[in-house]
PDB file of all heavy atoms in Angstrom:
ATOM      1  N   HIS E  97     -19.182   8.597 -29.043  1.00 98.00           N
ATOM      2  CA  HIS E  97     -20.261   9.590 -28.956  1.00 98.00           C
ATOM      3  C   HIS E  97     -21.514   8.987 -28.310  1.00 98.00           C
ATOM      4  O   HIS E  97     -22.241   9.675 -27.594  1.00 98.00           O
ATOM      5  CB  HIS E  97     -20.563  10.221 -30.328  1.00 98.00           C
ATOM      6  CG  HIS E  97     -21.205   9.279 -31.298  1.00 98.00           C
ATOM      7  ND1 HIS E  97     -20.517   8.260 -31.918  1.00 98.00           N
ATOM      8  CD2 HIS E  97     -22.492   9.188 -31.743  1.00 98.00           C
ATOM      9  CE1 HIS E  97     -21.327   7.584 -32.707  1.00 98.00           C
ATOM     10  NE2 HIS E  97     -22.538   8.136 -32.619  1.00 98.00           N
ATOM     11  N   LEU E  98     -21.741   7.675 -28.516  1.00 98.00           N
ATOM     12  CA  LEU E  98     -22.906   7.037 -27.890  1.00 98.00           C
ATOM     13  C   LEU E  98     -22.662   6.824 -26.389  1.00 98.00           C
ATOM     14  O   LEU E  98     -23.562   6.969 -25.565  1.00 98.00           O
ATOM     15  CB  LEU E  98     -23.230   5.704 -28.574  1.00 98.00           C
ATOM     16  CG  LEU E  98     -23.683   5.813 -30.035  1.00 98.00           C
ATOM     17  CD1 LEU E  98     -24.038   4.436 -30.584  1.00 98.00           C
ATOM     18  CD2 LEU E  98     -24.892   6.757 -30.158  1.00 98.00           C
ATOM     19  N   LYS E  99     -21.415   6.510 -26.065  1.00 98.00           N
ATOM     20  CA  LYS E  99     -21.051   6.357 -24.640  1.00 98.00           C
ATOM     21  C   LYS E  99     -21.302   7.694 -23.921  1.00 98.00           C
ATOM     22  O   LYS E  99     -21.870   7.739 -22.833  1.00 98.00           O
ATOM     23  CB  LYS E  99     -19.585   5.930 -24.536  1.00 98.00           C
ATOM     24  CG  LYS E  99     -19.065   5.751 -23.126  1.00 98.00           C
ATOM     25  CD  LYS E  99     -17.796   4.910 -23.166  1.00 98.00           C
ATOM     26  CE  LYS E  99     -16.669   5.343 -22.269  1.00 98.00           C
ATOM     27  NZ  LYS E  99     -16.900   5.627 -20.920  1.00 98.00           N
ATOM     28  N   GLU E 100     -20.900   8.752 -24.588  1.00 98.00           N
ATOM     29  CA  GLU E 100     -21.083  10.078 -23.981  1.00 98.00           C
ATOM     30  C   GLU E 100     -22.567  10.414 -23.817  1.00 98.00           C
ATOM     31  O   GLU E 100     -22.981  10.972 -22.808  1.00 98.00           O
ATOM     32  CB  GLU E 100     -20.395  11.113 -24.874  1.00 98.00           C
ATOM     33  CG  GLU E 100     -20.013  12.367 -24.111  1.00 98.00           C
ATOM     34  CD  GLU E 100     -19.304  13.352 -25.019  1.00 98.00           C
ATOM     35  OE1 GLU E 100     -18.369  12.936 -25.735  1.00 98.00           O
ATOM     36  OE2 GLU E 100     -19.721  14.526 -25.013  1.00 98.00           O
ATOM     37  N   ARG E 101     -23.366  10.008 -24.798  1.00 98.00           N
ATOM     38  CA  ARG E 101     -24.815  10.302 -24.695  1.00 98.00           C
ATOM     39  C   ARG E 101     -25.437   9.532 -23.541  1.00 98.00           C
ATOM     40  O   ARG E 101     -26.266  10.055 -22.793  1.00 98.00           O
ATOM     41  CB  ARG E 101     -25.529   9.948 -26.007  1.00 98.00           C
ATOM     42  CG  ARG E 101     -25.218  10.975 -27.077  1.00 98.00           C
ATOM     43  CD  ARG E 101     -25.918  10.653 -28.355  1.00 98.00           C
ATOM     44  NE  ARG E 101     -27.249  11.267 -28.392  1.00 98.00           N
ATOM     45  CZ  ARG E 101     -28.030  11.252 -29.466  1.00 98.00           C
ATOM     46  NH1 ARG E 101     -27.632  10.666 -30.566  1.00 98.00           N
ATOM     47  NH2 ARG E 101     -29.205  11.810 -29.427  1.00 98.00           N
ATOM     48  N   LEU E 102     -25.031   8.276 -23.395  1.00 98.00           N
ATOM     49  CA  LEU E 102     -25.569   7.491 -22.271  1.00 98.00           C
ATOM     50  C   LEU E 102     -25.114   8.104 -20.943  1.00 98.00           C
ATOM     51  O   LEU E 102     -25.910   8.264 -20.007  1.00 98.00           O
ATOM     52  CB  LEU E 102     -25.099   6.027 -22.360  1.00 98.00           C
ATOM     53  CG  LEU E 102     -25.589   5.150 -21.201  1.00 98.00           C
ATOM     54  CD1 LEU E 102     -27.115   5.009 -21.221  1.00 98.00           C
ATOM     55  CD2 LEU E 102     -24.945   3.757 -21.236  1.00 98.00           C
ATOM     56  N   GLU E 103     -23.848   8.475 -20.874  1.00 98.00           N
ATOM     57  CA  GLU E 103     -23.330   9.042 -19.619  1.00 98.00           C
ATOM     58  C   GLU E 103     -24.009  10.373 -19.277  1.00 98.00           C
ATOM     59  O   GLU E 103     -24.225  10.679 -18.107  1.00 98.00           O
ATOM     60  CB  GLU E 103     -21.803   9.218 -19.719  1.00 98.00           C
ATOM     61  CG  GLU E 103     -21.093   7.873 -19.727  1.00 98.00           C
ATOM     62  CD  GLU E 103     -19.587   7.947 -19.953  1.00 98.00           C
ATOM     63  OE1 GLU E 103     -19.081   9.046 -20.269  1.00 98.00           O
ATOM     64  OE2 GLU E 103     -18.935   6.912 -19.828  1.00 98.00           O
ATOM     65  N   THR E 104     -24.348  11.142 -20.314  1.00 98.00           N
ATOM     66  CA  THR E 104     -25.029  12.417 -20.064  1.00 98.00           C
ATOM     67  C   THR E 104     -26.399  12.178 -19.411  1.00 98.00           C
ATOM     68  O   THR E 104     -26.871  12.968 -18.607  1.00 98.00           O
ATOM     69  CB  THR E 104     -25.204  13.184 -21.402  1.00 98.00           C
ATOM     70  OG1 THR E 104     -23.919  13.316 -21.977  1.00 98.00           O
ATOM     71  CG2 THR E 104     -25.825  14.545 -21.202  1.00 98.00           C
ATOM     72  N   ILE E 105     -27.016  11.059 -19.776  1.00 98.00           N
ATOM     73  CA  ILE E 105     -28.298  10.719 -19.138  1.00 98.00           C
ATOM     74  C   ILE E 105     -28.051  10.157 -17.734  1.00 98.00           C
ATOM     75  O   ILE E 105     -28.680  10.554 -16.755  1.00 98.00           O
ATOM     76  CB  ILE E 105     -29.065   9.648 -19.973  1.00 98.00           C
ATOM     77  CG1 ILE E 105     -29.363  10.176 -21.373  1.00 98.00           C
ATOM     78  CG2 ILE E 105     -30.345   9.214 -19.247  1.00 98.00           C
ATOM     79  CD1 ILE E 105     -29.880   9.101 -22.339  1.00 98.00           C
ATOM     80  N   MET E 106     -27.106   9.240 -17.646  1.00 98.00           N
ATOM     81  CA  MET E 106     -26.936   8.461 -16.414  1.00 98.00           C
ATOM     82  C   MET E 106     -26.243   9.213 -15.280  1.00 98.00           C
ATOM     83  O   MET E 106     -26.657   9.124 -14.118  1.00 98.00           O
ATOM     84  CB  MET E 106     -26.119   7.190 -16.712  1.00 98.00           C
ATOM     85  CG  MET E 106     -26.791   6.196 -17.621  1.00 98.00           C
ATOM     86  SD  MET E 106     -28.245   5.479 -16.863  1.00 98.00           S
ATOM     87  CE  MET E 106     -27.518   4.431 -15.616  1.00 98.00           C
ATOM     88  N   HIS E 107     -25.169   9.924 -15.585  1.00 97.00           N
ATOM     89  CA  HIS E 107     -24.326  10.416 -14.499  1.00 97.00           C
ATOM     90  C   HIS E 107     -25.013  11.402 -13.550  1.00 97.00           C
ATOM     91  O   HIS E 107     -24.845  11.283 -12.327  1.00 97.00           O
ATOM     92  CB  HIS E 107     -22.993  10.933 -15.043  1.00 97.00           C
ATOM     93  CG  HIS E 107     -22.117   9.798 -15.522  1.00 97.00           C
ATOM     94  ND1 HIS E 107     -20.855   9.958 -15.992  1.00 97.00           N
ATOM     95  CD2 HIS E 107     -22.354   8.452 -15.592  1.00 97.00           C
ATOM     96  CE1 HIS E 107     -20.339   8.777 -16.331  1.00 97.00           C
ATOM     97  NE2 HIS E 107     -21.248   7.859 -16.110  1.00 97.00           N
ATOM     98  N   PRO E 108     -25.812  12.352 -14.064  1.00 96.00           N
ATOM     99  CA  PRO E 108     -26.498  13.238 -13.099  1.00 96.00           C
ATOM    100  C   PRO E 108     -27.475  12.465 -12.200  1.00 96.00           C
ATOM    101  O   PRO E 108     -27.596  12.752 -11.013  1.00 96.00           O
ATOM    102  CB  PRO E 108     -27.249  14.236 -13.989  1.00 96.00           C
ATOM    103  CG  PRO E 108     -26.588  14.135 -15.325  1.00 96.00           C
ATOM    104  CD  PRO E 108     -26.060  12.748 -15.455  1.00 96.00           C
ATOM    105  N   LEU E 109     -28.144  11.451 -12.776  1.00 96.00           N
ATOM    106  CA  LEU E 109     -29.094  10.660 -11.974  1.00 96.00           C
ATOM    107  C   LEU E 109     -28.349   9.822 -10.943  1.00 96.00           C
ATOM    108  O   LEU E 109     -28.757   9.710  -9.783  1.00 96.00           O
ATOM    109  CB  LEU E 109     -29.924   9.740 -12.887  1.00 96.00           C
ATOM    110  CG  LEU E 109     -30.895  10.433 -13.852  1.00 96.00           C
ATOM    111  CD1 LEU E 109     -31.475   9.428 -14.846  1.00 96.00           C
ATOM    112  CD2 LEU E 109     -32.021  11.111 -13.075  1.00 96.00           C
ATOM    113  N   ILE E 110     -27.232   9.222 -11.364  1.00 97.00           N
ATOM    114  CA  ILE E 110     -26.426   8.411 -10.438  1.00 97.00           C
ATOM    115  C   ILE E 110     -25.925   9.303  -9.301  1.00 97.00           C
ATOM    116  O   ILE E 110     -25.992   8.947  -8.119  1.00 97.00           O
ATOM    117  CB  ILE E 110     -25.220   7.761 -11.167  1.00 97.00           C
ATOM    118  CG1 ILE E 110     -25.671   6.768 -12.238  1.00 97.00           C
ATOM    119  CG2 ILE E 110     -24.301   7.063 -10.167  1.00 97.00           C
ATOM    120  CD1 ILE E 110     -24.537   6.204 -13.116  1.00 97.00           C
ATOM    121  N   PHE E 111     -25.450  10.481  -9.682  1.00 96.00           N
ATOM    122  CA  PHE E 111     -24.900  11.407  -8.692  1.00 96.00           C
ATOM    123  C   PHE E 111     -25.956  11.767  -7.641  1.00 96.00           C
ATOM    124  O   PHE E 111     -25.720  11.640  -6.435  1.00 96.00           O
ATOM    125  CB  PHE E 111     -24.391  12.670  -9.406  1.00 96.00           C
ATOM    126  CG  PHE E 111     -23.750  13.658  -8.484  1.00 96.00           C
ATOM    127  CD1 PHE E 111     -22.418  13.521  -8.132  1.00 96.00           C
ATOM    128  CD2 PHE E 111     -24.470  14.707  -7.945  1.00 96.00           C
ATOM    129  CE1 PHE E 111     -21.815  14.425  -7.258  1.00 96.00           C
ATOM    130  CE2 PHE E 111     -23.886  15.614  -7.075  1.00 96.00           C
ATOM    131  CZ  PHE E 111     -22.551  15.474  -6.731  1.00 96.00           C
ATOM    132  N   SER E 112     -27.143  12.189  -8.100  1.00 94.00           N
ATOM    133  CA  SER E 112     -28.193  12.609  -7.141  1.00 94.00           C
ATOM    134  C   SER E 112     -28.566  11.460  -6.223  1.00 94.00           C
ATOM    135  O   SER E 112     -28.723  11.633  -5.015  1.00 94.00           O
ATOM    136  CB  SER E 112     -29.488  13.031  -7.836  1.00 94.00           C
ATOM    137  OG  SER E 112     -29.218  13.852  -8.874  1.00 94.00           O
TER     138      SER E 112
END
Side-chain angles (χ1 to χ4, degrees):
H97 70 287
L98 295 183
K99 179 162 138 49
E100 204 179 311
R101 286 181 89 173
L102 178 65
E103 290 175 352
T104 304
I105 300 169
M106 294 294 289
H107 289 183
L109 293 171
I110 296 173
F111 183 84
S112 314

